[in-house]
Amino acid sequence: MRVRTRFAPSPTGYMHIGNLRTALYAWLFARHNNGQFLLRIEDTDRNRLVEAASDVIFKTLRDTGLDYDEGPDVGGDYGPYVQSERKEIYGKYAKALVDKGAAYYCFCTKERLDTLREEAQKEGKVFKYDKHCLSLSKEEVQRRLDAGEEYVIRQNIPLEGESSYDDMVYGHISVPMSDMEDNILLKSDGWPTYNLANVIDDHLMEITHVIRGIEYLSSTPKYNLLYDALGWERPKYVHLPPVMKDKTAKLSKRNGDASYEDLIAKGYLKEAIVNYIALLGWNGGGEQEIYSLKELAEAFSLEGLSRSPAIFDIEKLTWMNGEYIRKLSPEEFLEKAAPHFDKALTRDVDREKLARIIQPRLETLNQIEEKVSFFNEVPEYSTDLYFNKKMKTTPENSLDLLKEARAELEKVGDFTNDSLYQALLAVAQKNEVKNGRVLWPVRIAITGTEVTPGGATEIAEILGKTETLSRLDCAIEKLEKSL
C-alpha cells in the first residue's frame, strides 16, 4: 500500500509546538514507509488569517528538515494545495451531497438560531440545530434559491444508530448519531467549513493516513458519513494526544506558551527542538533519547505512540539542547555563536579561544550574552565574593595572594593557559596552600563574578596580559580600600 500523509495547517500565526509535532509525525511516518508527505494550506476561515503566516509555515518546515513532496510552493499532481484556490470544488461536492440526501439547504436566519440557543440555555441544554429546513419540499427550496435567499448547506445526520471507526492509536471509536449535530458544510458566503473541506481534499489528494490532533477524534465519525455518502474509501486515522503545559492546561500560543520561533529566538537549536518534540508522545522502545532526523525516520512506528497527554518540559528540552551544542564542531559552534558574540562583546576578544571554553558550558545560545559580558569590563561587585568556604578564602587572605599572583603573571612571557596555570600553582606551593586559594581570588579579580565559562587562567589568556594585569591592579586597590 502506498502511504501518503499530509500536514494541513491554517495560516493563523506562528507554528506552535503541537502543530510542529503533528507535521513531524506525519513526515516521519511517510519517510519510514517510503511514502509521500504533502503540505496543504487550509485558509477557508477567512476571519482568522494572518498575513505572511503561510511563509512562516514554509520556512519552519524547511528549517526543521521536513521537506514535502507536494505543496503550494513546490507543486504536484493533486493541487491546488491552498484551499482558497479550491472553492469551486467544495461547492460542487456540497451540492452532490444534497442530491444524495446526505446534506440539505438551510435558510434559517441568525435571529431564529439565536432564539433557539437562548431557549436551550434556559433549559440547561446544549444547543443543537433542530433540522427545521430538512422538511422543506424541493419546490420550496428551489423557490427560495431562485429568490436569492441566503442559505447554508448542512450535513444531514441520521437521528438513530451509531457511526464508528478504528483509530490506529485509540482503537475503536463509536459515537451515537443522536450526539451529533447537523453542522454547516458550506457557509452562506460559499466557503466550506473544515467538516467538508478536509474530507474532500484528503480524498482527492489520495491521503491514506490522516494524522492529526485528538480534538478531532470524536468528530471524525461525522466526517466518515460524508465519505460513505460519496462512495469513497475512508482513510486510516491516527489521532495524537495533546501536548500539555502541565497536568491540567494544554500548551497554547494563545496563553503565551512558546512557539517554534520563540524557542529559536531563545537560543535553542532546531535539531534539539525537533528531537525533543518527537519524544512528546512517542517512544522508540529503548533508552535512546538523542536522535538525528534520519534516525527518527528509521525508528518511527505508530506502535510507539502513546495515548497519554505529553507534558512539555522546558528543563528537559534545555538539557537536550546542551547536548546538541556540545556535539557541534568548533566551526559550527562559532558560526552559531557569532550573532550572540556580536551582540554581547564590545571589545576585541579572541573568539576561537572564547568558543572553546564556553561551548561545553552552555545549554542555550542565549546564555552566551550573560556569560561573556565581563569580558567587556568588570562589573561592580562586592568584596564578599572573595569569601569561599570550600576554597577557604576571605578578602583578607586573598589580598596578599593576589599581589603575589600579579607579580608572577607579569613575568610570564607566553601568556597562555598552561603557562599561567603553572605560574599560579607556583604561588600556591610557595605559600603552602591549596591551588584554589590562589585561583579563586584571581578569577574574582579579573571577572567580578562567581560563575564564569572557564577557569581563571583560561579567562586570563583570552583577556590578554595587559588587560589581566590591569584588572588585578584594580582588584588589589579595591580590596585595600575595603580592609
Side-chain angles (χ1 to χ4, degrees), residues 465-482:
K465 187 171 187 176
T466 301
E467 181 68 15
T468 297
L469 295 180
S470 174
R471 292 188 178 198
L472 285 169
D473 288 337
C474 290
I476 290 168
E477 183 180 353
K478 184 182 181 81
L479 274 174
E480 286 177 334
K481 288 181 178 179
S482 70

Side-chain angles (χ1 to χ4, degrees), residues 152-359:
V152 299
I153 293 180
R154 289 183 180 273
Q155 185 173 2
N156 182 18
I157 295 178
L159 295 172
E160 298 179 347
E162 293 186 341
S163 179
S164 60
Y165 70 101
D166 292 314
D167 183 78
M168 298 184 76
V169 174
Y170 290 91
H172 190 69
I173 306 296
S174 184
V175 178
M177 302 285 195
S178 57
D179 287 353
M180 303 183 207
E181 184 184 3
D182 288 1
N183 292 119
I184 294 172
L185 299 177
L186 199 71
K187 294 178 282 189
S188 59
D189 58 7
W191 288 104
T193 61
Y194 176 84
N195 301 334
L196 177 67
N198 88 90
V199 168
I200 292 172
D201 288 344
D202 285 342
H203 172 74
L204 296 182
M205 294 179 183
E206 298 187 4
I207 301 303
T208 61
H209 294 76
V210 173
I211 300 175
R212 60 188 173 202
I214 194 175
E215 60 269 24
Y216 297 105
L217 185 72
S218 61
S219 56
T220 294
K222 73 174 62 174
Y223 308 148
N224 285 334
L225 295 176
L226 298 179
Y227 279 103
D228 297 345
L230 292 167
W232 294 344
E233 182 181 354
R234 301 176 183 181
K236 296 184 183 301
Y237 295 105
V238 181
H239 288 95
L240 307 173
V243 180
M244 308 291 286
K245 181 176 184 176
D246 51 42
K247 291 183 179 180
T248 59
K250 284 183 66 175
L251 200 68
S252 169
K253 178 66 176 175
R254 186 176 300 173
N255 295 331
D257 297 318
S259 66
Y260 171 78
E261 289 80 6
D262 292 331
L263 293 174
I264 291 295
K266 290 177 180 178
Y268 291 89
L269 301 179
K270 60 187 179 183
E271 295 85 359
I273 297 171
V274 170
N275 188 161
Y276 179 67
I277 288 176
L279 303 181
L280 289 175
W282 174 82
N283 188 296
E287 297 298 318
Q288 183 176 353
E289 290 188 296
I290 305 298
Y291 290 86
S292 67
L293 192 57
K294 181 181 178 182
E295 288 172 333
L296 283 170
E298 291 172 351
F300 188 80
S301 70
L302 298 181
E303 289 74 24
L305 292 176
S306 171
R307 295 185 179 187
S308 302
I311 295 179
F312 185 86
D313 183 349
I314 192 66
E315 292 183 3
K316 180 67 175 290
L317 170 60
T318 301
W319 165 81
M320 185 173 285
N321 198 66
E323 295 294 305
Y324 270 87
I325 287 176
R326 286 183 279 280
K327 285 171 60 179
L328 295 172
S329 69
E331 294 75 22
E332 290 172 331
F333 175 74
L334 199 55
E335 180 183 352
K336 293 181 184 299
H340 301 273
F341 285 153
D342 290 342
K343 186 177 180 180
L345 297 171
T346 58
R347 63 186 296 271
D348 189 28
V349 171
D350 188 324
R351 295 191 177 189
E352 288 189 9
K353 291 181 180 178
L354 179 55
R356 279 201 299 273
I357 68 168
I358 200 172
Q359 182 178 358

Side-chain angles (χ1 to χ4, degrees), residues 95-136:
K95 289 178 173 58
L97 287 166
V98 171
D99 293 340
K100 294 174 180 292
Y104 58 94
Y105 291 97
C106 175
F107 300 92
C108 288
T109 62
K110 179 179 182 299
E111 290 71 23
R112 180 177 188 274
L113 296 175
D114 287 343
T115 299
L116 292 176
R117 286 192 183 90
E118 290 172 7
E119 291 174 354
Q121 188 174 11
K122 288 177 183 177
E123 296 174 9
K125 298 179 180 178
V126 176
F127 169 73
K128 183 178 177 182
Y129 182 66
D130 61 0
K131 288 183 176 285
H132 175 74
C133 289
L134 179 61
S135 61
L136 296 177

